Amino acid sequence: MFRSQNREPDFENLKQVLQKKAPPRAVLFEFLLGENKEKRLTGTEFRSSSEFDRVVTTIKAFDSGGYDFAPIIVRGLVFERKSHFVSHALTKSLNEGSVITDRQSFENYAWPEIENCDFSIISKAASYLHPKAKFIPFSHDGILENVIGIVGYERLCLMLYEDEPLVSAIFFEVGKRIHSYFKACLSYPEVGAVILNDDWGFNTHTLISPKALRKYVFPWYKEIVVMTHDNGKYAILHSCGRYDAIIEDIIGDMRFDARHSYEDGITPVEAAYEALKGRLAVLGGMDVGFMARSGAEEIYERSTRMLRRSAGLGGYALGSGNSIPDYIPDENYLAMLQAAFDWENREGGRDDPN
Amino acid sequence: MTLIEKLKNAIIDVQPKKAEETTHELLTQGVGAAEILNQALIPGMDEVGRLFKEGEYYVPEVLVAAKAMNATLSLIEPLLVQGGVPRRGKIVIGTIEGDLHDIGKNLVSMMLKGAGYAIIDLGVDVNANQFVEAIQNEQPDYVAISALLTSTMVNIPHVIQSIRTAGLRNRVRVLVGGAPLTQAYAEEIGADGYAPDASEAVSLVRQMDQARAGT
Ligand code: B1M
């Protein structure tokens, strides 16, 4: 257990952040942890031989790391693509999976059905969750990501010009399934919020124009966020890439409670927080490249500075800019956690530690 | 509007069919391939690059414009070769070893091609030996390397080292780009240049061409 015994998980802390308020202690947020990081956090309790084992391991890893929640994915809603496995590759191509190339292949595509998902894993796994912690479900890729996955990115770009009705039809089929997925997740009392995970941009632009996003993607998320709020829960957007052209859509139109994913090369989290505080909770933001290449001390200090910046104002949870892949050295990740643990020991985290 | 302007606009307005038809018309009228390249294609793609840089165009617009450019290029390329029209320079490009991400690299290739450079695309997951071999075989002016993650970016210095070991370092300029890269990292690893996006990659190569011509 990395957290101390008196830092008990309590979703109420994260809830304060999602309400853009100041939590009573430093709150941590992460979307994904690499397998080795989960091993490090769970030690001898690490299990991965079944899906249920993996879910329980994630619950234990997030508990050990001092989080107030555990992310969870319910398997089964997978939009099949062609797989192209290269054993030593660390990345994949967004062009490679393409299976829908025209109307005919669209008609023949075997769409995954929500009935393939066994949502009861949420209540079954809940017995491993700390009594005050909650689940935050996410999906196997978001709406744009899945459409890119089955069409291929470059083909999708051309299709937007060459066969707009087909593009609309594909987004509709994907969108309604992602909507149903979150609808099912939201019916569980163990769920406190949802992560709507969909990369919309890259370092300089959105992946398709804001106009196209507004037409094909955002209406679905708007509905999912309404549904989330109607259930008394919170909607977190995990979306990478440049977002300035769509930030008003995120806040004003789709009405997300929080946004996750920040990169130093786009808008460092410090600047993002200054621009967004009070309107949208800012989660994470310690740039992944920075966490991979800096020393643990630098990470500890930047994390502490970020906690100091947001102390009193609220609406911030400490975490990485994207996730903790295993190429971030363990000690660097642990330095960030330590910054949160140490912060709360300083008069409720409100004083200046230096 | 002249036919040359019509072709240039077809590229800027992302209309591949119109570009192809207009190129046919131009060739039927006896307009030279070099004129089509220099007066329509390159300025057209420059404008597309500017619109992308300014945030008016997104990747889909650039890709459809590149399709229009390719429609023209496939018709004039044999004539350029026949006529001995020299390309502006040769660039070997690839995504670094361990990395299959190709979108950024493809965009950079397209923009450089549209700027009149000959592109040798080595694809993705390209290791140091493959880069060195390509330099030996193709004798390019530049090598452009793309990476998606910090974990793959760290393979770029191995390529630079291998180029040095092969005694080729002063024969090529090494340019780098991709989401996790920065100007500072490019300098740290001894690359000659860094471009944050595809249109900047074109500007960078042009600046370097000018600097070389001036020396
Ligand atoms: C001269 O030579 C030159 C010059 C210019 C050059 C050049 C060469 N090459 C490129 N350029 C430049 O010109 C191009 C056009 O202007 C640009 O090319 P790009 O390639 O940058 O842009 C393309 C047009 C589109 N770009 C993209 O499609 C990438 C966009 C972002 C959002 C992204 C996406 C979409 C994805 N990802 Co991920 N992803 C991110 C990206 C965030 C970002 N800022 O880019 C990044 C790259 N991802 C990241 C991470 C961490 C990960 N991702 C992952 C997964 C994914 C998805 C599968 C969801 C998806 C697809 C990934 C893929 N393989 O294509 C994971 C692993 C990836 C894998 N196995 O492939 C995972 C490890 C997450 C996890 N824990 O599992 C981060 C890397 C951080 C780092 N420093 O290492 C990241 C920066 C996001 C972030 N918020 O921090 C310029 O960079």
Side-chain angles (χ1 to χ4, degrees):
Chain A
M1 185 74 71
F2 274 77
R3 67 169 169 87
S4 66
Q5 286 304 320
N6 49 15
R7 188 191 158 95
E8 262 200 288
D10 186 347
F11 188 75
E12 282 302 314
N13 294 310
L14 180 59
K15 198 162 136 184
Q16 295 284 310
V17 171
L18 297 173
Q19 290 174 346
K20 280 92 71 185
K21 293 182 188 154
R25 62 153 162 77
V27 173
L28 288 160
F29 185 86
E30 213 51 73
F31 173 35
L32 299 171
L33 299 176
E35 189 175 287
N36 292 338
K37 297 293 174 291
E38 291 203 345
K39 276 188 186 145
R40 186 72 197 262
L41 291 174
T42 53
T44 53
E45 290 190 81
F46 181 88
R47 304 271 183 282
S48 66
S49 45
S50 69
E51 179 54 20
F52 193 72
D53 274 357
R54 279 189 289 274
V55 169
V56 172
T57 295
T58 299
I59 295 171
K60 290 184 175 167
F62 273 74
D63 185 334
S64 166
Y67 299 88
D68 299 301
F69 71 99
I72 186 168
I73 180 165
V74 179
R75 304 279 171 194
L77 191 68
V78 177
F79 295 83
E80 288 302 337
R81 317 158 183 192
K82 268 188 236 143
S83 70
H84 173 77
F85 182 69
V86 179
S87 62
H88 67 277
L90 299 171
T91 72
K92 59 180 188 178
S93 163
L94 279 184
N95 288 324
E96 79 194 18
S98 134
V99 280
I100 297 186
T101 53
D102 51 17
R103 186 53 75 167
Q104 176 86 45
S105 45
F106 168 74
E107 303 292 350
N108 294 338
Y109 186 71
W111 296 97
E113 292 310 338
I114 198 77
E115 289 72 33
N116 300 342
C117 299
D118 180 6
F119 291 97
S120 70
I121 194 166
I122 297 177
S123 42
K124 285 181 197 141
S127 57
Y128 293 84
L129 202 58
H130 186 281
K132 287 186 182 163
K134 294 264 185 201
F135 278 128
I136 306 191
F138 63 98
S139 60
H140 187 284
D141 291 347
I143 296 171
L144 179 63
E145 287 172 342
N146 274 307
V147 170
I148 287 175
I150 55 182
V151 178
Y153 179 60
E154 289 176 11
R155 191 190 307 278
L156 175 67
C157 289
L158 298 179
M159 214 184 253
L160 279 163
Y161 274 83
E162 291 165 1
D163 196 346
E164 197 280 330
L166 181 56
V167 170
S168 272
I170 299 168
F171 272 104
F172 180 77
E173 293 301 327
V174 173
K176 74 178 183 196
R177 286 170 171 84
I178 296 286
H179 183 280
S180 307
Y181 174 89
F182 282 106
K183 186 174 179 192
C185 291
L186 284 164
S187 66
Y188 287 82
E190 298 87 355
V191 167
V194 286
I195 295 176
L196 305 178
N197 49 304
D198 205 9
D199 285 348
W200 292 336
F202 61 103
N203 57 353
T204 55
H205 293 71
T206 48
L207 284 159
I208 57 176
S209 68
K211 199 171 146 210
L213 284 169
R214 284 176 196 129
K215 182 166 180 189
Y216 303 113
V217 180
F218 292 172
W220 286 110
Y221 286 109
K222 190 173 175 171
E223 270 193 42
I224 299 171
V225 176
V226 168
M227 182 167 75
T228 305
H229 290 162
D230 287 349
N231 277 274
K233 294 171 185 180
Y234 298 86
I236 298 166
L237 173 66
H238 166 90
S239 186
C240 297
R242 185 168 286 275
Y243 57 85
D244 38 5
I246 52 169
I247 190 66
E248 291 310 322
D249 299 87
I250 293 169
I251 301 172
D253 182 44
M254 287 176 276
R255 309 192 81 80
F256 275 99
D257 299 294
R259 184 181 179 282
H260 179 245
S261 182
Y262 298 90
E263 292 173 55
D264 287 352
I266 299 175
T267 309
V269 64
E270 292 80 359
Y273 180 74
E274 291 308 321
L276 299 173
K277 66 184 176 204
R279 301 185 69 207
L280 187 69
V282 171
L283 307 182
M286 292 294 126
D287 181 82
V288 175
F290 165 79
M291 289 196 67
R293 299 189 70 237
S294 310
E297 212 166 285
E298 260 180 281
I299 291 161
Y300 181 91
E301 274 163 20
R302 186 171 175 189
S303 302
T304 304
R305 281 199 302 275
M306 196 55 218
L307 290 173
R308 186 183 311 140
R309 182 186 287 273
S310 59
L313 295 163
Y316 179 71
L318 181 64
S320 75
N322 170 280
S323 56
I324 307 289
D326 283 327
Y327 59 82
I328 291 181
D330 284 7
E331 56 277 20
N332 290 10
Y333 169 52
L334 298 177
M336 182 178 70
L337 297 186
Q338 196 59 47
F341 301 160
D342 291 348
W343 181 256
E344 65 215 37
N345 297 328
R346 295 186 181 108
E347 275 181 53
R350 300 262 156 96
D351 68 336
D352 188 337
N354 291 326
Chain B
M1 192 195 301
T2 65
L3 270 185
I4 282 281
E5 277 166 358
K6 194 171 155 193
L7 174 57
K8 185 175 129 188
N9 288 343
I11 292 169
I12 299 169
D13 298 341
V14 300
Q15 294 175 311
K17 259 215 179 86
K18 197 167 164 193
E20 190 177 349
E21 284 161 12
T22 314
T23 311
H24 274 300
E25 276 183 73
L26 281 160
L27 292 172
T28 318
Q29 291 193 4
V31 178
E35 193 179 333
I36 296 175
L37 177 74
N38 293 319
Q39 308 293 320
L41 205 144
I42 295 177
M45 283 307 285
D46 275 355
E47 180 60 7
V48 170
R50 190 190 66 79
L51 291 166
F52 180 62
K53 179 92 212 150
E54 302 285 304
E56 298 230 354
Y57 274 11
Y58 289 80
V59 177
E61 287 70 35
V62 175
L63 288 181
V64 183
K67 194 172 173 185
M69 165 196 87
N70 279 326
T72 299
L73 211 52
S74 63
L75 294 172
I76 64 168
E77 222 156 21
L79 304 171
L80 291 170
V81 175
Q82 254 174 39
V85 178
R87 303 309 290 266
R88 304 215 159 170
K90 200 189 250 188
I91 301 171
V92 159
I93 189 166
T95 301
I96 192 67
E97 179 172 19
D99 202 327
L100 304 184
H101 174 76
D102 54 355
I103 296 162
K105 167 193 68 72
N106 292 352
L107 274 172
V108 173
S109 300
M110 283 169 207
M111 295 299 286
L112 288 168
K113 198 167 162 192
Y117 292 88
I119 302 297
I120 311 293
D121 188 343
L122 303 181
V124 294
D125 191 18
V126 183
N127 66 33
N129 288 341
Q130 290 166 305
F131 275 112
V132 168
E133 224 168 86
I135 297 168
Q136 280 160 342
N137 297 337
E138 300 289 345
Q139 317 254 320
D141 306 284
Y142 300 92
V143 172
I145 312 176
S146 179
L148 180 77
L149 305 176
T150 296
S151 56
T152 58
M153 166 183 100
V154 293
N155 291 331
I156 299 178
H158 302 153
V159 178
I160 299 180
Q161 184 52 45
S162 299
I163 297 174
R164 196 170 290 126
T165 309
L168 300 167
R169 187 65 187 91
N170 55 5
R171 298 231 310 250
V172 283
R173 303 280 167 110
V174 179
L175 313 177
V176 295
L181 280 104
T182 57
Q183 179 67 39
Y185 184 71
E187 285 166 19
E188 181 187 322
I189 62 171
D192 299 299
Y194 157 78
D197 64 47
S199 69
E200 284 284 328
V202 173
S203 312
L204 177 69
V205 170
R206 282 185 177 150
Q207 271 167 26
M208 288 187 157
D209 277 351
Q210 270 173 7
R212 285 212 303 191
T215 52

